[in-house]
């Protein structure tokens, strides 16, 4: 588990193409095998001899591993000698009869869909792979959008990235310590924020009382600043560090959950997509992924549309009692028309918890005749027949 959290690759294998899953099955490590499966190891991967982990566990008589693999493995795969796992298994084994029955069923009806339908929907664009699970039906992950990790502009009149403004407003903090840039007296960037001290704690967590302010913008130190790259005032710009998973829900389509617990104030991910003028948003055939990024002091209004270009955030469902809240953040430019829409945890989130944010009243005013909220919160404002 620790090695995986540190970035160990599950697809690595030895000279005979035996993966970590093969070796767990060989050694009888049931808990290790389950951990590898949970994190997206390819259960049907074959060695140079054509053996899957199920072949190995069955031949070794490791019944605990066989029982765990039977939940998702294809029992009909044959090795280079033409044998299925059943044909190399010990007939005296506790799982032999189950293996025999499943082999018979699979031969008649075809193998059950594997619960992992993608081992990384980001295709390597994120720090950690985002595994997609579907244990509800046979639907595959949507393939009608392009995964991106930062917003894109498809028109020339979009973001003003004039670096001269950043040069005049950059901080000149001299310390190489990441604890630098804590107060507005010492740091120009922190000084542009709504209070004189940093909104980030020393642990890198956001002080969520910022959400009580009227339409705040948080300024992080930028690429022209003199401070250390890991200073306390650089969080969102480092990208998504949380381990997230895509999964099919029972009643709300695809959703996003966290693999590990998330502390209140943690940066989770940025809502990214295509920059689109507000005037064109209503002309989109599918406007379900449009996120308004307008600010109270801005008259030229834009939004982010994640319908055709987006990241994992496009799958986060609505809740009237959400565990994430959006915050406008700037660091790479000062164009307040185009802030980064960062999603922060506004409460502690347990491991395996589904992520959610409030889509807002404007969304529901438009969609109330088409959709009904399924958040099941006691504070739900948009449920009922439509």
């Amino acid at each position: 588990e620790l090695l995986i959290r540190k970035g160990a690759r599950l697809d690595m294998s030895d000279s005979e193409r035996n993966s970590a899953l093969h070796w767990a099955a060989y050694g009888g490590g049931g808990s290790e095998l389950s951990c590898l499966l949970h994190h997206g190891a390819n259960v049907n991967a074959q060695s140079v001899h054509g053996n899957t982990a199920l072949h190995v566990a069955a031949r070794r008589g490791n019944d605990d591993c066989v029982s765990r693999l039977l939940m998702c493995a294809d029992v009909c795969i044959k090795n280079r000698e033409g044998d299925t796992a059943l044909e190399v298994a010990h007939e005296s084994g506790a799982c032999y009869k189950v293996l025999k029955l499943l082999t018979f069923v699979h031969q008649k009806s075809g193998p059950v869909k594997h619960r992992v339908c993608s081992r990384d929907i980001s295709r390597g664009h994120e720090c950690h792979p985002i595994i997609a699970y579907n244990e509800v039906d046979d639907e595959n992950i949507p393939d009608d959008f392009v995964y991106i990790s930062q917003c894109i502009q498809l028109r020339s009149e979009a973001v003003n990235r004039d670096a001269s403004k950043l040069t005049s407003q950059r901080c000149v903090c001299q310390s190489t310590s990441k604890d630098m840039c804590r107060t507005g007296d010492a740091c120009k960037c922190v000084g542009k924020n709504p209070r004189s001290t940093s909104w980030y704690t020393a642990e890198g967590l956001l002080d969520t009382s910022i959400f009580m302010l009227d339409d705040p913008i948080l300024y992080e130190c930028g690429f022209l600043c003199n401070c250390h790259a890991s200073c306390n005032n650089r969080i969102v710009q480092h990208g998504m560090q949380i381990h997230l998973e895509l999964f099919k829900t029972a009643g709300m389509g695809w959703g996003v959950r966290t693999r590990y617990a998330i502390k209140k104030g943690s940066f989770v991910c940025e809502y990214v997509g295509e920059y689109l003028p507000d005037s064109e948003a209503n002309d989109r055939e599918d406007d379900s992924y449009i996120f308004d990024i307008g600010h109270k002091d801005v008259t030229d209004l834009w939004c982010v549309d994640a319908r055709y270009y987006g990241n994992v955030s496009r799958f986060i469902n609505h809740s009237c009692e959400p565990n994430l809240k959006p915050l406008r953040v700037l660091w790479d430019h000062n164009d307040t028309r185009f802030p980064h829409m960062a999603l922060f945890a506004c409460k502690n989130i347990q491991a395996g918890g589904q992520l959610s944010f409030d889509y807002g009243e404007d969304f529901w005013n438009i969609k109330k005749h088409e959709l009904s909220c399924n958040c099941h919160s006691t504070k739900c404002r948009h449920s009922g027949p439509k």
Side-chain angles (χ1 to χ4, degrees):
E1 181 79 21
L2 177 61
L3 289 172
I4 294 172
R5 293 187 66 171
K6 293 294 185 180
R9 289 177 54 184
L10 299 177
D11 58 348
M12 296 295 288
S13 60
D14 60 22
S15 60
E16 294 189 345
R17 293 212 305 270
N18 292 301
S19 66
L21 199 65
H22 285 91
W23 285 108
Y26 181 88
S31 59
E32 291 84 357
L33 186 142
S34 290
C35 176
L36 291 166
L37 289 174
H38 174 73
H39 288 286
N42 184 359
V43 70
N44 294 319
Q46 295 176 267
S47 68
V48 293
H49 303 294
N51 292 313
T52 66
L54 185 58
H55 280 91
V56 175
R59 180 181 287 113
R60 297 276 297 176
N62 293 329
D63 289 326
D64 181 36
C65 292
V66 170
S67 64
R68 294 170 192 252
L69 289 165
L70 284 177
M71 293 188 291
C72 50
D74 184 350
V75 299
C76 294
I77 293 178
K78 295 182 179 182
N79 60 20
R80 291 183 62 180
E81 296 178 354
D83 295 325
T84 65
L86 174 66
E87 292 165 325
V88 301
H90 290 261
E91 292 188 18
S92 59
C95 292
Y96 180 79
K97 290 183 179 179
V98 177
L99 184 56
K100 185 175 182 179
L101 176 62
L102 284 177
T103 301
F104 174 78
V105 171
H106 285 214
Q107 287 173 339
K108 294 296 183 182
S109 60
V112 176
K113 290 284 186 180
H114 195 289
R115 64 189 181 107
V116 175
C117 45
S118 173
R119 288 172 179 80
D120 185 8
I121 67 167
S122 79
R123 307 186 316 279
H125 286 281
E126 303 293 0
C127 179
H128 304 290
I130 303 171
I131 305 170
Y133 297 88
N134 186 352
E135 298 171 326
V136 176
D137 53 36
D138 292 333
E139 182 184 356
N140 290 319
I141 60 170
D143 58 1
D144 56 351
F145 78 102
V146 177
Y147 195 101
I148 56 175
S149 57
Q150 57 186 351
C151 285
I152 62 171
Q153 57 184 71
L154 300 180
R155 51 192 78 234
S156 59
E157 69 270 22
V159 189
N160 179 1
R161 298 185 181 277
D162 184 356
S164 62
K165 294 182 178 180
L166 292 176
T167 302
S168 62
Q169 299 179 31
R170 72 187 184 98
C171 78
V172 291
C173 306
Q174 298 295 324
S175 174
T176 59
S177 169
K178 69 177 184 178
D179 294 326
M180 197 59 186
C181 305
R182 297 282 297 151
T183 68
D185 293 337
C187 177
K188 283 186 178 181
C189 300
V190 173
K192 290 187 286 186
N193 287 322
R195 71 180 187 189
S196 59
T197 56
S198 175
W199 285 94
Y200 293 129
T201 68
E203 193 180 352
L205 302 176
L206 179 73
D207 180 348
T208 55
S209 65
I210 194 172
F211 294 117
M212 300 176 64
L213 302 179
D214 181 22
D215 216 11
I217 294 180
L218 190 151
Y219 289 86
E220 291 190 351
C221 295
F223 64 94
L224 291 179
C225 291
N226 197 56
C227 55
H228 196 272
S230 62
C231 90
N232 182 261
N233 196 40
R234 298 176 187 264
I235 300 295
V236 177
Q237 61 192 267
H238 291 315
M240 186 171 67
Q241 306 296 316
I242 304 290
H243 292 257
L244 301 181
E245 298 174 347
L246 185 67
F247 74 109
K248 188 67 181 294
T249 70
M252 295 189 291
W254 292 93
V256 180
R257 65 191 178 198
T258 175
R259 187 179 303 169
Y260 306 111
I262 299 176
K263 290 183 179 181
K264 178 181 178 180
S266 297
F267 167 63
V268 175
C269 63
E270 180 183 348
Y271 194 92
V272 306
E274 172 193 355
Y275 285 129
L276 187 70
D278 261 19
S279 57
E280 296 183 20
N282 293 332
D283 296 332
R284 288 286 167 108
E285 183 176 348
D286 184 355
D287 58 0
S288 301
Y289 297 90
I290 290 179
F291 197 119
D292 180 18
I293 61 173
H295 185 262
K296 64 177 182 177
D297 298 328
V298 175
T299 56
D300 182 12
L301 300 179
W302 289 70
C303 58
V304 170
D305 184 8
R307 170 61 185 85
Y308 301 105
Y309 305 90
N311 67 353
V312 67
S313 65
R314 73 192 296 278
F315 295 105
I316 298 178
N317 282 310
H318 163 87
S319 176
C320 296
E321 196 173 3
N323 49 28
L324 303 179
K325 285 190 176 181
L327 177 66
R328 295 170 176 82
V329 182
L330 289 174
W331 70 83
D332 52 341
H333 61 79
N334 279 329
D335 193 337
T336 53
R337 298 175 302 164
F338 303 100
H340 297 271
M341 298 306 298
L343 295 170
F344 286 88
C346 57
K347 59 181 70 173
N348 292 325
I349 307 172
Q350 294 182 344
Q354 181 175 182
L355 305 183
S356 61
F357 65 89
D358 190 337
Y359 288 3
E361 295 302 319
D362 289 343
F363 174 90
W364 287 106
N365 287 338
I366 296 172
K367 295 294 185 179
K368 61 184 178 183
H369 299 298
E370 306 173 31
L371 303 175
S372 178
C373 179
N374 292 311
C375 72
H376 304 298
S377 167
T378 56
K379 299 180 181 179
C380 184
R381 306 185 306 275
H382 308 289
S383 60
K386 299 300 176 184

